[in-house]
Structures are given as structure tokens and as C-alpha cells.
Amino acid sequence: MKKIEILFAEFNGKFQPDIGNVKNYFPEAEVNVYTESDCNPLFEEDSQFYGYYMNDYWKVEKLLSSEADVAISLDADMKIVSDNVRAIIPLVEKFGVCLPASSRGLVKIDTEIGSHSDKQLDETLGMGQVMNMTPICFDTKNVRARRLLEEYCQIMIANPVRGPLAMWRAVYKTGIAPYLLPHQWCVCVEDVGIGNEIILHLGHTKVKDYYKC
């Protein structure tokens, strides 16, 4: 049987990881919650975005150090609502690393309106597809996927920015593209009522209200 780890990196304290929800769908998984006491403070602690940077960095670094066969990083404001979530296992084993497509579409839009962005675009002018950063699913034995996530962590250390922007930069630098999960895997405010929902992003009030969670 494949060993599965599901991890949370929580530094903002706004939401508590729902371990019971995860265990309902992945009863065999090891679930770990990483907080300030487990992770070095790699960023300026007086920055208003310190918690975001810590979350965006450590939820990927902990994937890289996982001893499981498949490691999945979830933000604390995510709620699984469908048994179809288990399809992530064959998907990540096939593709190595999976992230959901963002409803913002273009890297340009996310760069311009997203918080803690440096507003800098590369030669693509932001015309690539931006990704959401939860869930992130990783086959720990996949060498190419590991290279991508390592590059992401290096970018975050060198120039801390919002996770989706750092991930785009890692993708463009390495030429390694994750498999893009459909919007049902991270239902955000733009996606309410989409149908076939798998994971809800309850950090968006409209999502929480619509699904009465």
C-alpha cells in the first residue's frame, strides 16, 4: 500500500486544520501540522506578509522532506467534500506534481491584483496560466517534480513573493509544468455552483456561505 502524508503549514492562525475531514477521505494517511515551533523563521518577522511567506515556503519544503510515497499539502481553510478526491493518487503518480488551475487565469492578473506580489512580469508578459497553491500533490520519487519544487523554494528564499507567482517563475525557469487540476479541486469565489466539487476553499466567505459550511 502506498504511504500517504497530508500536511498543513499553518502560521496565520485564522483557520484550524480540519484533520477529521481529511481522515474521513484518507483514513490511511499520516496527517501532520507544521507551525512556528517546527519551522525556522526564514523571512522578516516584522513584515505584514510574514505568515503568508512562511506558509507558502514551508508547505512545499515539507513536501520535499516527506518520507511518504505521495505527499499532499493543504491550506487550513480547505474542506474536502467528495470521495472523488482519492483520484489524486493515480493522477499524481502519473504526472509527478499536481496543482489546481486558478480562476484568475493569467499570471498577469494574479501578479497585478494579488497581495504580496512584486508586480514584476517576465518576457511572457504574464500570459501563462496561474496556479492555486492548495492542494499541492507530489509523488516524492518523481525526479522532475522534485526539481520543480526545489526551484520554487529557492525562488521564495531569494525573493519572497506570493506563492502562485513564485510557482510560475519556477515553472518557467525549469520548463517543468505540473498537471493542472480543474477548478473543482479548489473551489474559489469565482467557482461557486460549478458542480462536481471536490475541495472547497472556505477562506472565501462567498464559498462558505454558498455551501453552508
Side-chain angles (χ1 to χ4, degrees), residues 6-10 15-35 74-80:
I6 297 177
L7 64 92
F8 297 87
E10 180 54 36
F15 290 86
Q16 292 299 315
D18 191 343
I19 295 174
N21 173 252
V22 170
K23 280 291 193 180
N24 282 340
Y25 294 92
F26 294 96
E28 77 280 29
E30 176 184 348
V31 181
N32 291 304
V33 180
Y34 298 101
T35 63
L74 279 172
D75 284 352
D77 58 354
M78 302 291 279
K79 182 175 182 178
I80 302 170

Side-chain angles (χ1 to χ4, degrees), residues 110-172:
D110 191 69
T111 302
E112 290 176 345
I113 70 175
S115 63
H116 53 292
S117 165
D118 61 8
K119 311 300 182 185
Q120 299 299 308
L121 298 174
D122 58 27
E123 63 184 355
T124 69
L125 305 179
M127 294 298 110
Q129 169 70 52
V130 71
M131 292 151 276
N132 270 320
M133 291 294 291
T134 178
I136 308 170
C137 313
F138 174 46
D139 178 344
T140 61
K141 295 178 176 58
N142 189 294
V143 175
R144 280 175 56 82
R146 181 170 292 277
R147 182 183 165 212
L148 172 66
L149 298 186
E150 288 174 344
E151 182 63 36
Y152 167 89
C153 288
Q154 291 171 13
I155 288 170
M156 281 296 298
I157 292 294
N159 179 34
V161 288
R162 58 186 285 102
L165 181 50
M167 184 57 73
W168 164 255
R169 290 172 178 172
V171 167
Y172 192 65

